[in-house]
Amino acid sequence: MPTFAYSQETSSLPITITGTVTDDTGDTLPGATVKIRGVNIGTTTDVNGYYTLQVPNENTILIFSFLGFTRQRVTVGTQREINITLVENARQIDEVVAIGYGAVKKSDLSGSISTVSRRSYNEQPVKQIGEILQGRTAGVEVTTLSGLPGSGPSILIRGTTSINKSSAPLYIVDGIFGAEIPNPSDIQSIEILKDASATAIYGSRGSNGVILITTKRGIENNAVVTVEMNWGISKIIKKYDLMNAYDYANALDSVTGKPFSADVLEGYKNGSLGIDWQDLMLQTACSQEYKLSITGGSGKTQYFISGSFLDQTAITVNTKYNRYHFRTNLNTEVKPWFNIAYGVNLSQVKTHNLYNNMHDIITYSPSMELKNDSTGIYNLDPYNSFSENPYGVQMETKQDNYTNRVTGNVDLRFKIIDGLTLSLQGALVYTHSPSFNFQSEKRSFGKQSAMSNSSSYSTYWQNTNNLTYGKIIGDHQVTATAVWELSQTETKSMSLSGNNLANEVVGYYNYMNAATRFGGNGYSASSIASGLGRLMYAYKNRYFVTGTYRADGSSKFQGDNKWGYFPSGSVGWDIVQEDFFNAQNLFKQLKLRASYGITGNQDIANYSTLAMLSSVNHAYGTTNQYAGYWENTFDTPNVSWEKVKQFDVGIDIGILNHRVNLTVDWYMKNCTDLLLQKAIPGYNGGGSVWVNMGEVKNTGFDITIDTYPVTKKYFTWQSVLTGGFQKNEVVDMGGLEYLLVANGSTYGGYMQIIQVGYPITSYWLWDWAGFDDEGCNLYRTKNGDLVIDPDGEDRIVTGQGVPKFYFGWNNTVEWRNWTVNILATAALGVDRLNISRAITAHGGGSNRFTTLRDAYFLSWDMVENKEDAKYSSLKNGNNRRHFMSTFYLEDASYLKLKNISISYHIPYSVLKVMNATISLSVQNIYTFTNYSGMDPEVYGATGVSGGNGGIDLGAYPVPRTYSLGLMFNF
């Protein structure tokens, strides 16, 4: 804190001014500048928006500023505490952003970081982070994998980097690794660290990018109470065009010679008999959500308290999702040199029958009876599917899963000397996940009743010790950070299961009720120790240099390989700050950036580099069982960190007083020493072993165009276009020719391949080439011949399961008290292997006949003009209908109108006791696509093991949702 020297003749002493700087929504502004007018003396607010500053006398004028907001001037007078509310100025876009173990002005960044503004989604009914990020962040590909309530999206930052392990980013909430992602209404800010300069600060866990989430904090103010309520209904947008019971019965008779009686056919025709499985299984879903938050503070303590409840039903019958949250964050200044910040988060998620049976819904025969009226047992499909009755499973199964989580953290912050702070942070996350399952024998004919109970307990603790020194000396600004960090995860589990219950009255509660019983338990633990240092230097706000070095030691590796070392560096140059640029008024920012760094990945199972024994019992010709042991995993002491080397160059441009802002980045990510499971020959015992081999490269562009086409007094329009192009390529496989993945054994085997020169999500398919004169499918061989029955060597590598291009367009229009938001998203250059169409089109795998209308009526057998045939013959016994062929590989590019929201704000002056906002929203409005499935965005492959990056096998579609929201501030 600056001090002043005075002569003995000066009668006045320095005055200490304190306060908090907030925006017009009540949220604090960390990094806001507080300066004394006329001299180069000032300070900035801390992470809680708090400041303290010594001024010479009561006539001092303070200037409060924060780029993106209109500055204010205040004369000190008799005030000793000055709290300021700054009003946002849409033409200024600079802000303070989290960068990991600290914060910095966005204008001072030399790395690649994206920020998601709360303003872009604040009045929309978002329920999880994927809905916030999708279409609003360049370089971040968000794919909604399933429309089931609570389903998490696939989030990739600059593409897929790992072959056998996840490419999901690292989530950090209030400095805690892997903590539960907060309720969207509790989030203060979201930053996405993309390049290695930004992510290397997290070393071993930052190879797939980092998402930093900061929750709301209290402010020094009278208590503000916020109540939010939201109600919604959801409907499926598109169904498969399946045959009704009458058409199916006739088709079955025509192809297989299985006739139905005249009375039954008449019942199918008039609708008194038969089942429309989509109508039976799918419904209008409902949701309701309630949130309450209280924020405020007085003196030296500020608080934020919130609670929420979400209740959702799904578009499939008898499926529910419930979520409960409670959070409290408190900040206390114990002494001028000592602050405490602490928080507690409690949550529970409960799901009921939350699984996907869309596959069975679209393949079960419509020409059958639902169940046996005398026994109450649901019938199996006599004609087509081998699966259990989907309605019986849904109604006669009770699967209840819980996730109970407690998170606590405390941050002790010491101001040692001017500019030097020490933060001692401790965090504990305790998770209890019980699961209960009961299956009645009535779910399908010939099935036994069954039950199972399981439970896992996980404890994660983290200690982060952060020493930071920041100093401004004339034109020079230096910030140095040193951190020592320790963390450990411990998991315990147990399970019980049984079959053939004596009775079904108690469901899953009585384990001894089962005639056959099984049990098991498990234990696992891992830990990481880390040390890091970072130095940031800026000169005259025009030259910026950042250097970072981190070392991580993981218990998952052995010996000297436990430790990985991850350096990075970045530079930036804002040309606008140069003297030779002073004469122009067009550019407000013209910054060039470049960075390079290395990050790591240690995402393998605990103990997987150690030799482990498994046991098996054998009688050896006697009546007694003896345990024998064998080595099922092998000692691999040389396995070490997977490494990602990333180079990034970027430019930030702001023109017309920041009414037009452009950010473009080009990047190249090389993932080397891949953690890969290599097969062991059978003569050596079989199985697989972890090795470091291979290389994957991602290159691409990120682009953000943030514009303010209109900025009138009562009318503003912000339009943000974000997009990205990416190319994923396997560069090296460590001597392997290829690796086959996505094994759907029921449907013909492997569907995808990993091979040098192709993307990771490439498909391995037979090349379909039309029909022959008998209506049989033709496939092109490697020699160019057309055959009916190709062999395995004739498959080709084609397509990719992730998009080459993706973008989002988010528009926010404000007119007086009205706000309208429109969001559109798109993905281009992406392919889906539509196994859902394949299984409904013809018999094969777990099906014996077709349910798809076009597959019968537009088949070779049914059309008069054979050139109009869309599907091959159902009657020709020589026909081969391969699931894994390009016939079912479809272009899944799409443009989605994702959200339209309109809200009206009723000010305090009208209601006298509060202000209020009412909003109406429609989500997932319309999709422009040529894809024939239910939804081109989602994909899921039940029964397919490994590598599913775009296979649609009964994917659960995202419904259209209509929402009404109310918000009150007291």
Side-chain angles (χ1 to χ4, degrees), residues 101 177 205 462-464 483-487 528-531 550:
Y101 306 102
F177 289 82
R205 292 175 276 194
Q462 175 185 321
N463 168 233
T464 303
V483 175
W484 175 250
E485 192 167 65
L486 301 170
S487 64
I528 293 180
S530 306
R550 177 167 179 144

Side-chain angles (χ1 to χ4, degrees), residues 16 41 98 116 184 240 263 292 398 448 484 527 530 625 741 747 793 795 809 813 816 864 891:
T16 300
I41 296 175
V116 182
Y240 276 99
D263 291 341
L292 171 67
K398 187 178 182 182
Q448 286 186 342
W484 175 250
S527 59
S530 306
Q625 295 285 326
V741 293
Y747 305 101
E793 294 184 356
R795 290 207 196 186
W809 187 26
V813 177
R816 295 186 179 272
E864 183 175 345
D891 179 8

